Amino acid sequence: MARNVGTISRGIRCPIIKEGDNLAQIVVDSVLTAGQTDHFSLRDKDVIAVTESVVARAQGNYASIDAIGQDIKNKLGGDTIGVIFPIYSRNRFSVLLKGIARGAKKIILMLSYPSDEVGNSLLTYDDLDAKGINPYSDVLTLERYRQLFGFRKHEFTGVDYIEYYIKLIEGEGATAEVIFANQPKAILNYTKKILTCDIHTRARTKRLLKAAGAQIVLGLDDILTSSINGSGYNKDYGLLGTNKATETTVKLFPRDAQGLVEKIQNDILKKTGKHVEVMVYGDGAFKDPQGKIWELADPVVSPFHTDGLIGTPNELKLKYLADNDFKDLKGEELKAAISQSIKNKAKDLKGTMATQGTTPRLLTDLLGSLCDLTSGSGDKGTPIILVQGYFDNYTND
């Protein structure tokens, strides 16, 4: 009998994960229990995805603002520091800024405008046009910014991030000075010791600053790459990918979890005989059309995954085939022709016309986005996602 359903994404409920829990066992048990209660079975090439949050929580990968401040002081000297290009986020950056300020006497906070790297807006381009401001060249002081634009609150959060960040810095006993610029070298008129807080553009920012004569240039990925007084750490990403845990602690991006995804894969194989793929996922990579926010505040969508998730889709565009190669066919004859094209498709379709309009992204980015939307960020209680049928095509029954 033909199968009439394609890809299915299921949120899987599980116990609340705490530090020290056997996460692999919890994931396997939760998926198998859900299958029994909701009457579905696993298939080969199903994908089990686990949110990075519970992986880091099970690892106990947390750090305090004291640990952050100590590492900042050790690496940047503890005096005046330029902190540039942070994103505007209470969850992602507020606690980090407290820690950074704890490790310095003065912070020169350089904010990008009209929005941050991931699309959180202070202003709009229309605002800039109305005032004759060129964001690619103009450097604004806080006083000049307020004269031009006044006080603005974020559309969704209702927070004036400029005032909020100043208060966080001053609350840790440091002096705050705010400027607005989009050219990294603008900060060098204020200090030669820089912490760049951008995520996906950090390598370029570091390169430009070093070429322009900066004395010390570090990124968030260079802070807490090793433990400070027993703190959590991440040797690959440092403070990138952190989330607020409490007012004085952050949960770091998970580390050393390749063994976890492989163990889940092996345990499922032993218990069911099915070869599934497994991944750890964070933020999905998609953009909100209303707020213009690009969701990806983590350094990568999937830091750990099994080998079967490496690569990009290799798909034909059905509507292209229907409108071009087989435009004169209908019904069962059209179905048979398209099915045969799929069965005979080359292993690498890159560059062929029949692939135009398919999504040229990594499998882990596509799946991670699907999983992030399925699990949500609130109280759904489904940090495990089971995706079935993702690797199927029109010919699979």
Side-chain angles (χ1 to χ4, degrees):
M1 182 176 179
R3 199 165 80 222
N4 294 307
V5 176
T7 300
I8 300 170
S9 179
R10 287 186 173 92
I12 305 296
R13 292 180 179 174
C14 72
I16 302 299
I17 306 300
K18 304 293 288 186
E19 181 177 351
D21 284 348
N22 186 335
L23 187 56
Q25 180 178 336
I26 290 172
V27 170
V28 171
D29 290 348
S30 297
V31 170
L32 296 181
T33 298
Q36 293 171 357
T37 58
D38 282 55
H39 310 294
F40 64 84
S41 58
L42 294 179
R43 308 170 190 153
D44 289 327
K45 294 296 289 184
D46 284 354
V47 179
I48 296 174
V50 186
T51 182
E52 59 83 21
S53 177
V54 297
V55 178
R57 193 182 306 149
Q59 292 176 338
N61 203 19
Y62 291 82
S64 68
I65 57 176
D66 285 332
I68 295 170
Q70 186 61 55
D71 209 25
I72 290 288
K73 188 173 183 179
N74 292 346
K75 293 175 178 176
L76 287 153
D79 195 4
T80 299
I81 299 172
V83 176
I84 72 172
F85 301 154
I87 64 173
Y88 308 133
S89 171
R90 293 168 295 176
N91 175 44
R92 291 288 189 168
F93 194 69
S94 64
V95 179
L96 296 187
L97 185 56
K98 286 182 182 181
I100 294 164
R102 187 163 287 199
K105 293 179 181 178
K106 182 176 182 178
I107 298 292
I108 309 295
L109 185 64
M110 191 171 92
L111 303 177
S112 56
Y113 73 100
S115 63
D116 67 12
E117 179 186 5
V118 298
N120 291 295
S121 296
L122 296 176
L123 306 164
T124 68
Y125 280 101
D126 289 338
D127 292 328
L128 300 182
D129 293 342
K131 300 295 184 180
I133 298 298
N134 184 346
Y136 304 104
S137 60
D138 292 346
V139 179
L140 306 178
T141 64
L142 178 59
E143 181 181 15
R144 179 63 174 152
Y145 177 93
R146 292 300 194 196
Q147 288 173 347
L148 289 168
F149 305 112
F151 289 77
R152 302 286 186 94
K153 293 184 177 181
H154 188 280
E155 177 183 6
F156 292 153
T157 65
V159 174
D160 180 330
Y161 281 97
I162 302 166
E163 193 69 19
Y164 179 54
Y165 282 175
I166 290 172
K167 289 181 178 179
L168 290 178
I169 293 168
E170 293 177 343
E172 295 303 321
T175 302
E177 181 176 354
V178 179
I179 61 173
F180 302 82
N182 292 313
Q183 295 296 333
K185 65 182 181 180
I187 193 65
L188 298 177
N189 293 322
Y190 298 83
T191 179
K192 305 296 184 183
K193 298 180 180 180
I194 319 299
L195 178 70
T196 181
C197 301
D198 46 346
I199 305 162
H200 307 291
T201 56
R202 63 188 185 276
R204 177 177 183 268
T205 301
K206 291 179 186 180
R207 173 173 55 80
L208 292 174
L209 286 169
K210 290 174 182 177
Q215 181 182 347
I216 301 174
V217 180
L218 298 175
L220 289 178
D221 56 326
D222 299 307
I223 307 301
L224 285 191
T225 53
S226 59
S227 180
I228 299 292
N229 299 322
S231 73
Y233 66 94
N234 191 304
K235 61 183 175 61
D236 297 312
Y237 298 115
L239 291 178
L240 289 178
T242 58
N243 285 273
K244 179 179 180 179
T246 71
E247 293 300 326
T248 58
T249 59
V250 291
K251 177 191 61 59
L252 282 75
F253 213 45
R255 64 176 194 265
D256 305 325
Q258 188 61 33
L260 171 70
V261 296
E262 292 173 0
K263 179 170 176 49
I264 293 170
Q265 183 183 57
N266 290 333
D267 288 353
I268 289 290
L269 182 62
K270 291 177 182 177
K271 289 179 177 291
T272 68
K274 301 301 180 182
H275 183 90
V276 301
E277 304 296 342
V278 184
M279 64 185 287
V280 174
Y281 71 97
D283 276 347
F286 45 82
K287 186 172 183 176
D288 168 45
Q290 174 63 32
K292 307 299 188 288
I293 299 170
W294 183 38
E295 178 70 11
L296 187 56
D298 287 327
V300 293
V301 173
S302 177
F304 305 101
H305 48 268
T306 50
D307 289 347
L309 298 180
I310 296 172
T312 58
N314 189 54
E315 299 175 336
L316 295 169
K317 194 74 170 181
L318 295 192
K319 66 180 182 181
Y320 177 86
L321 294 176
D323 291 342
N324 291 271
D325 295 32
F326 308 121
K327 61 183 179 181
D328 296 325
L329 302 181
K330 292 183 179 180
E332 288 300 317
E333 191 177 8
L334 175 60
K335 178 180 179 181
I338 288 180
S339 296
Q340 194 61 43
S341 293
I342 294 172
K343 291 176 181 178
N344 293 337
K345 67 182 177 182
K347 292 183 178 180
D348 186 0
L349 294 168
K350 185 184 294 185
T352 62
M353 289 300 292
T355 67
Q356 63 179 337
T358 58
T359 309
R361 292 169 57 189
L362 296 178
L363 290 167
T364 49
D365 291 347
L366 293 164
L367 282 160
S369 298
L370 173 61
C371 292
D372 190 23
L373 288 168
T374 303
S375 60
S377 58
D379 58 7
K380 287 184 171 60
T382 56
I384 304 164
I385 305 299
L386 174 65
V387 180
Q388 297 189 292
Y390 189 82
F391 293 99
D392 289 355
N393 61 47
Y394 188 60
T395 69
N396 293 119
D397 291 327

